[in-house]
Amino acid sequence: MSSAPRPTMPVLDDGLDLAVNLRDVVKRFGPVTALDHLTIRVRRGEAHGLVGPAGSGKTTALQILAGRLRPDRGSARVLATDPRRHAVELQRRVAYVPQQVYRWSHLTGAELLDTMSFLRGSDRTRRTELIERFDAATDRAGHLDSAENRQKIELIAALASRAELVVLDEPGRYLDAAARAELTAVLAEERGRRTLLLTEDPSAPAVPVASVCGQVTGLDAGRACDPDRRDAWGARGVRRVDDPWRRSARTF
Ligand SMILES: Nc1ncnc2c1ncn2[C@@H]1O[C@H](COP(=O)(O)OP(=O)(O)OP(=O)(O)O)[C@@H](O)[C@H]1O
């Protein structure tokens, strides 16, 4: 008598081809509820923006996806795997650039790019092109470098990599206006080539996610909300774009 192999993990993506699947996630830090039943679904190949003010939970959501934090409730799947259980495999498949980068600060920019390329693979031509476009210096050790140049190096490592999913936490926060405009153009080129997940704080220097992403989720006190709800973020609000991808499926 033969029996079919049993799946080892529950299938949680409802048959959709999801690159990111945060489902009903709650995360508390002592008395603070950073994420309050948050659900975010990103299909493979989609560019998705997460927009909200400081403290709304953007970084916490990304840290859960990066396998660095465990949700108190709910589940997280990245490329259909558990980001904590498969953290090593996902290092190769996911390029995650946190807001502040201090990785291997004894390495020069060029050495860091080589190391990341060894781990994740990279397109050498794209790397050279991005160094030029971002006007990045590659000869300084990270600990002697500016926050801006460190962010450029990490962005180049991510965007020249062969990662299937690129996750950028407030990219552009430390960049000057020219580099931010260049990054916005590069991300627009990336759209459709692989999955992108970006965050934006509308009150800080930022890549406007609405101009790059087909889908935008608003975050307010750890809950998903309409990204166009201006009262959540004050006068500046979030720019609306007329985009069929965005109209077709909302995440809240
Ligand atoms: N390790 C931690 N310990 C205690 N509280 C935390 C921790 N990490 C985050 N928080 C709190 O959780 C809430 C969400 O923080 P989070 O950093 O995720 O927000 P954010 O939207 O990314 O804001 P920012 O852009 O300022 O980083 C905030 O109230 C924050 O103070």
Side-chain angles (χ1 to χ4, degrees):
M1 196 173 78
S2 69
S3 61
R6 291 164 68 93
T8 52
M9 276 192 291
V11 176
L12 292 170
D13 70 0
D14 296 340
L16 299 171
D17 194 11
L18 296 177
V20 169
N21 190 0
L22 271 189
R23 182 181 277 218
D24 198 28
V25 165
V26 174
K27 181 68 189 175
R28 295 193 185 88
F29 297 104
V32 176
T33 301
L35 298 180
D36 193 3
H37 299 276
L38 180 67
T39 292
I40 298 174
R41 298 158 129 210
V42 182
R43 288 198 179 95
R44 277 189 207 248
E46 181 182 300
H48 196 108
L50 206 49
V51 62
S56 57
K58 303 179 298 296
T59 298
T60 303
L62 298 194
Q63 295 264 341
I64 287 173
L65 294 173
R68 296 181 186 184
L69 289 174
R70 188 195 303 274
D72 297 327
R73 221 193 111 148
S75 64
R77 290 289 179 278
V78 174
L79 301 173
T81 64
D82 179 332
R84 284 183 73 83
R85 223 191 284 178
H86 300 275
V88 175
E89 179 198 332
L90 288 177
Q91 285 285 331
R92 198 173 43 76
R93 300 176 66 195
V94 180
Y96 168 49
V97 181
Q99 239 177 72
Q100 284 176 318
V101 282
Y102 295 109
R103 183 157 46 187
W104 302 320
S105 61
H106 58 294
L107 298 182
T108 65
E111 288 166 343
L112 193 130
L113 289 170
D114 284 343
T115 308
M116 297 310 292
S117 160
F118 177 73
L119 289 175
R120 278 195 306 234
S122 80
D123 176 334
R124 194 88 196 178
T125 311
R126 182 72 162 159
R127 166 177 154 173
T128 307
E129 178 203 330
L130 292 176
I131 290 171
E132 206 165 290
R133 286 175 73 176
F134 290 138
D135 193 20
T138 57
D139 55 348
R140 274 196 300 269
H143 64 97
L144 299 174
D145 214 350
S146 63
E148 178 181 27
N149 201 61
R150 277 205 307 267
Q151 191 171 37
K152 285 180 180 177
I153 296 292
E154 289 281 345
L155 289 167
I156 293 164
L159 293 164
S161 79
R162 302 197 192 281
E164 294 156 61
L165 168 64
V166 172
V167 179
L168 308 178
D169 195 0
E170 293 192 38
R173 179 176 269 267
Y174 298 104
L175 303 183
D176 64 20
R180 251 192 331 272
E182 199 57 52
L183 177 59
T184 306
V186 169
L187 290 172
E189 292 162 18
E190 284 282 326
R191 194 170 126 154
R193 290 186 188 164
R194 54 180 151 193
T195 314
L196 302 174
L197 177 60
L198 322 172
T199 69
E200 177 192 351
D201 174 348
S203 67
V207 168
V209 295
S211 70
V212 174
C213 299
Q215 297 261 307
V216 180
T217 298
L219 254 193
D220 186 20
R223 289 171 180 255
C225 67
D226 187 332
D228 295 325
R229 227 190 69 192
R230 287 170 177 271
D231 59 345
W233 301 294
R236 193 177 149 204
V238 182
R239 266 201 299 159
R240 190 180 230 300
V241 283
D242 186 36
D243 186 314
W245 291 13
R246 188 166 162 212
R247 280 203 306 270
S248 64
R250 295 213 155 199
T251 55
F252 45 86

